[in-house]
Amino acid sequence: MEILQTQVAIIGSGPAGLLLGQLLYKAGIEHIIIEQRSADYVSARIRAGILEQVSVDLLEKAGVDKQLKEFGLPHTGIEILTGGEKHRIDLSGLTQGKQVTVYGQTEVTKDLMQAREEANLTSFYEADDVKVYGFYGKPYISFNKDGKFYQVNCDFIAGCDGYHGICRASVPEDKIKTFEKVYPFGWLGVLADVPPVSDELIYVQSERGFALCSMRSEIRSRYYLQVPLTDKVEDWSDERFWEELKNRLDKESQENLVTGPSIEKSIAPLRSFVTEPMRFGKLFLAGDAAHIVPPTGAKGLNLAASDIAYLSDALIEFYTQNSEEGINQYSEKCLKRVWKAERFSWWMTHLLHRFEGESEFDLKIKQAELAYVLGSHAGQTTLAENYVGLPYEINNFQAAS
Ligand code: RFL
Ligand code: PHB
């Protein structure tokens, strides 16, 4: 058995855990990361693709923006395709110059892992049977690695271990409330080394269901189709995928679509989920461990980043100013932003997807709502303001090392 001591023990080496580690390191606060998967597995996962401006700014603050600045693709607008016609939302024009950046979560993760390696920071990958204890008093963590038992004594535990993690599950039932909505369909995603169909993302509302044309670079595309939850990846050959995508697109996009072999294909279920509160004594939940959004608003990764902005700020304030104010406000501040992103993601999902059993009336109302949003400056501004990301409320405590 080995006993370790640190200030902050971070569970999970996804974007939330890695970013927190990097920001604490920059502030001279000791931490370690404990992750159940291998480093190769973590760095190969393909997930989100869009960064809000505030997330880009945070990565810059963390000093991990070199590749992002070189290879990220700034986008100043998105297209909404409905009734066979594309409508551009001028994100920048409607939000005083704000934009989003296309840069894959896979790349964000790799950049953070590389920064960690360069700074020689401690991570335990392939940790088994991770457990958290004593977070209402003296917190500690235990895990096994390579047949050895470890105990980590710490001041705080950051639960960055995703939706299926153990941190949220370790909270006594009477201390936690969860809110959930499960959607009756999933997204079938395909990654392919073909040039994107368009310079900008296209969100597609069609009678055959939702589709999304996204990208990772000028030569790598990411496409999604709304599919029934009962579908399996094996049901979808590449040919069938491209055919169905074409059927949901407008004429111009059909002509421009370049198809090719998929390099990744997966189906993700859609869910809205929020945990209240997000702090339990000395245990903080952050990212997917605390909340899930359907991907339609591209908010999952960005919400993980905003939780970490608040949490790193609070911990730095605690260690440098001897003040618990940020820690005490953590949950409330996060949840304010989380619920707004939940609302936006739910709204985009509702507006653009086909739901089984929708009446003709429901459909007409939805069409009218889309027509209103796309035809009104106020409607477009609401969409743009949420899509580029709502501002943070942080104090920005700086490194004291
Ligand atoms: P992550 O990325 O899930 O990382 C959590 C980490 O914790 C580890 N872990 C444990 N470690 C130790 N002990 C345990 N007991 C542990 N249990 C779990 C896990 O192995 C993992 O490494 O959460 P984080 O850091 O909060 O980041 C959140 C984002 O990853 C997430 O919000 C987005 O990826 C969501 N998401 C998408 N968001 C978008 O904005 N756009 C998308 O297109 C998009 N696609 C997706 C997604 C999430 C998906 N999931 C979760 C299945 C597609 C998929 C398939
Ligand atoms: C992606 O590129 O994976 C992506 C982009 C926008 C979304 C969801 C996913 O809303």
Side-chain angles (χ1 to χ4, degrees):
M1 171 169 160
E2 186 169 341
I3 298 186
L4 305 170
Q5 175 73 45
T6 191
Q7 290 175 306
V8 183
I10 301 173
I11 319 274
S13 178
L18 287 165
L19 184 54
L20 178 62
Q22 180 68 13
L23 289 162
L24 293 181
Y25 158 66
K26 292 217 82 151
I29 296 169
E30 273 178 34
H31 72 278
I32 62 172
I33 295 185
I34 299 148
E35 161 66 47
Q36 67 176 7
R37 301 284 195 163
S38 70
D40 285 348
Y41 180 93
V42 167
S43 62
R45 277 191 296 225
I46 293 161
R47 289 183 177 174
I50 298 283
L51 295 176
E52 296 171 349
Q53 184 65 55
V54 277
S55 302
V56 170
D57 295 345
L58 190 64
L59 289 164
E60 184 181 327
K61 184 177 162 192
V64 282
D65 61 327
K66 195 167 166 286
Q67 305 283 337
L68 166 61
K69 290 278 155 64
E70 195 173 337
F71 299 109
L73 304 173
H75 278 212
T76 58
I78 54 170
E79 301 270 8
I80 308 262
L81 169 58
T82 178
E85 249 180 66
K86 287 200 290 276
H87 305 258
R88 183 168 192 268
I89 305 290
D90 178 7
L91 297 175
S92 289
L94 292 158
T95 61
Q96 289 89 42
K98 290 189 187 152
Q99 57 185 24
V100 293
T101 301
V102 172
Y103 192 67
Q105 179 170 334
T106 318
E107 276 59 49
V108 174
T109 307
K110 280 186 192 154
D111 295 347
L112 284 161
M113 284 173 77
Q114 195 188 334
R116 212 167 160 77
E117 216 174 293
E118 282 165 13
N120 217 0
L121 301 174
T122 310
S123 298
F124 289 91
Y125 283 97
E126 297 176 88
D128 279 333
D129 202 20
V130 181
K131 291 196 175 105
V132 294
Y133 300 96
F135 43 86
Y136 287 109
K138 268 182 141 210
Y140 66 98
I141 287 165
S142 71
F143 65 95
N144 287 304
K145 183 170 164 60
D146 301 330
K148 194 167 160 186
F149 182 79
Y150 289 83
Q151 178 173 321
V152 185
N153 299 328
C154 53
D155 301 335
F156 298 104
I157 301 171
C160 303
D161 52 348
Y163 181 66
H164 299 286
I166 46 101
C167 290
R168 190 182 69 249
S170 305
V171 174
E173 262 179 43
D174 62 337
K175 298 261 195 276
I176 190 166
K177 186 163 164 61
T178 56
F179 303 80
E180 184 170 35
K181 181 176 176 62
V182 177
Y183 299 84
F185 40 73
W187 276 21
L188 167 66
V190 156
L191 191 70
D193 276 337
V194 291
V197 66
S198 155
D199 292 344
E200 295 188 332
L201 269 68
I202 310 175
Y203 287 80
V204 184
Q205 188 266 342
S206 86
E207 277 181 15
R208 300 180 69 96
F210 172 81
L212 172 62
C213 306
S214 183
M215 64 193 77
R216 288 293 176 272
S217 70
E218 274 144 21
I219 51 159
R220 181 168 282 189
S221 300
R222 180 72 165 157
Y223 293 109
Y224 296 96
L225 290 178
Q226 173 187 356
V227 295
L229 271 178
T230 43
D231 279 17
K232 303 266 170 299
V233 173
E234 305 78 71
D235 301 334
W236 286 88
S237 64
D238 286 0
E239 292 68 32
R240 183 177 172 209
F241 180 88
W242 294 121
E243 189 61 32
E244 183 57 32
L245 178 61
K246 257 193 185 157
N247 282 333
R248 296 186 191 186
L249 294 177
D250 61 308
K251 223 167 171 315
E252 186 195 20
S253 308
Q254 285 171 349
E255 281 160 15
N256 289 343
L257 184 71
V258 183
T259 65
S262 63
I263 49 177
E264 196 264 354
K265 201 187 281 164
S266 53
I267 296 180
L270 268 66
R271 182 191 306 275
S272 299
F273 175 84
V274 180
T275 303
E276 286 190 358
M278 287 173 54
R279 173 200 174 191
F280 309 89
K282 289 170 182 159
L283 167 68
F284 301 91
L285 300 182
D288 279 14
H291 40 70
I292 297 286
V293 284
T296 326
K299 293 288 167 237
L301 172 60
N302 292 296
L303 272 188
S306 59
D307 289 352
I308 295 307
Y310 292 138
L311 184 53
S312 58
D313 213 43
L315 291 170
I316 296 168
E317 180 184 358
F318 175 82
Y319 284 113
T320 62
Q321 324 273 315
N322 202 16
S323 156
E324 292 192 12
E325 206 177 312
I327 284 174
N328 291 335
Q329 288 173 353
Y330 171 73
S331 183
E332 196 187 324
K333 269 192 180 177
C334 285
L335 285 166
K336 255 167 75 183
R337 194 171 193 274
V338 165
W339 275 114
K340 287 178 189 159
E342 290 283 346
R343 184 210 66 83
F344 177 65
S345 307
W346 164 84
W347 176 74
M348 284 278 278
T349 305
H350 185 75
L351 202 60
L352 299 175
H353 289 71
R354 285 299 293 256
F355 286 71
E356 225 180 80
E358 268 174 326
S359 68
E360 282 185 44
F361 179 84
D362 295 337
L363 282 171
K364 283 281 184 193
I365 291 288
K366 230 186 219 183
Q367 279 162 7
E369 184 167 8
L370 251 179
Y372 165 69
V373 169
L374 299 174
S376 136
H377 191 264
Q380 288 186 23
T381 305
T382 294
L383 200 166
E385 183 177 50
N386 281 279
Y387 194 86
V388 299
L390 299 173
Y392 294 170
E393 274 178 58
I394 57 170
N395 297 322
N396 251 318
F397 287 99
Q398 291 300 324
S401 58

